[in-house]
């Protein structure tokens, strides 16, 4: 039985390098540097970093940025960041060719940001993101080749 990779606090962490869509590569392979975990960012910094990663075709890495915000947020913003993380993972699944996973996460993410639709926080285009996610989810359900274009997070 092999030992699991662990971080400095002893938590299980897969140390294998990853490709641009977050898929594990063999140990020693050249991969895309992962986003550091536990970075405290302002909402504006979170959105800017995630948008940059989405524009670079790295939705898995954008998900990690949103996950940091989700884990550190309190109150209603927590659901916002969770929903945005789910949208990024949904896009990751779509680009990997996992139509079922894509549709599920895109629909879940769109539903989780619904409560922010009437008063979108941080300049986020909630309605636009929901429309994008539900369209992509429907394409995935129909097993149509999905568009790799990144969503625009803000208006």
């Amino acid at each position: 039985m092999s030992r699991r990779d662990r971080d400095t606090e002893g938590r299980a962490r897969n140390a294998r390098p990853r490709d641009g869509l977050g898929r594990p590569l063999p140990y020693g392979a050249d991969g895309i540097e992962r986003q550091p975990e536990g970075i405290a960012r302002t909402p504006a910094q979170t959105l800017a970093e995630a948008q940059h990663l989405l524009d670079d075709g790295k939705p898995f890495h954008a998900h990690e940025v949103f996950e940091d915000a989700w884990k550190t947020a309190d109150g209603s913003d927590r659901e916002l960041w969770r929903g945005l993380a789910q949208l990024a993972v949904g896009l990751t699944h779509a680009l990997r060719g996992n139509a079922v996973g894509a549709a599920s996460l895109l629909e879940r993410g769109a539903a989780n940001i619904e409560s922010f639709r009437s008063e979108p926080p941080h300049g986020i285009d909630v309605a636009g993101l929901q429309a994008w996610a539900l369209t992509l989810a429907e394409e995935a359900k129909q097993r149509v080749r999905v568009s790799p274009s990144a969503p625009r997070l803000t208006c």
Side-chain angles (χ1 to χ4, degrees):
M1 184 195 252
S2 66
R3 293 176 42 133
R4 293 179 73 185
D5 297 329
R6 302 261 175 206
D7 66 12
T8 57
E9 278 125 39
R11 290 181 299 227
R13 295 278 186 239
N14 190 326
R16 287 171 56 185
R18 298 199 176 246
D19 70 7
L21 291 177
R23 293 175 288 222
L25 299 170
Y27 287 103
D30 289 332
I32 303 295
E33 189 171 336
R34 294 183 70 175
Q35 292 302 114
E37 291 186 45
I39 303 295
R41 299 174 184 90
T42 66
Q45 290 169 328
T46 297
L47 292 167
E49 179 68 16
Q51 187 68 64
H52 172 75
L53 291 163
L54 289 166
D55 291 344
D56 281 353
K58 300 175 187 170
F60 175 81
H61 302 278
H63 140 266
E64 291 180 326
V65 171
F66 287 133
E67 195 171 72
D68 275 344
W70 168 23
K71 289 178 178 179
T72 60
D74 54 6
S76 65
D77 267 6
R78 196 167 159 78
E79 195 67 13
L80 171 72
W81 300 119
R82 181 176 140 199
L84 293 175
Q86 290 168 325
L87 293 179
V89 172
L91 178 57
T92 300
H93 283 297
L95 293 172
R96 288 179 177 176
N98 176 359
V100 173
S104 175
L105 268 295
L106 290 163
E107 289 173 342
R108 195 176 319 150
N112 283 333
I113 63 174
E114 173 63 33
S115 65
F116 301 94
R117 189 178 178 109
S118 63
E119 293 182 39
H122 315 298
I124 296 172
D125 182 8
V126 173
L129 283 172
Q130 287 180 303
W132 166 84
L134 295 175
T135 298
L136 190 56
E138 191 56 39
E139 288 176 7
K141 285 179 183 177
Q142 296 174 16
R143 299 191 187 276
V144 173
R145 179 91 176 135
V146 297
S147 168
S149 63
R152 297 302 312 163
L153 298 172
T154 55
C155 299

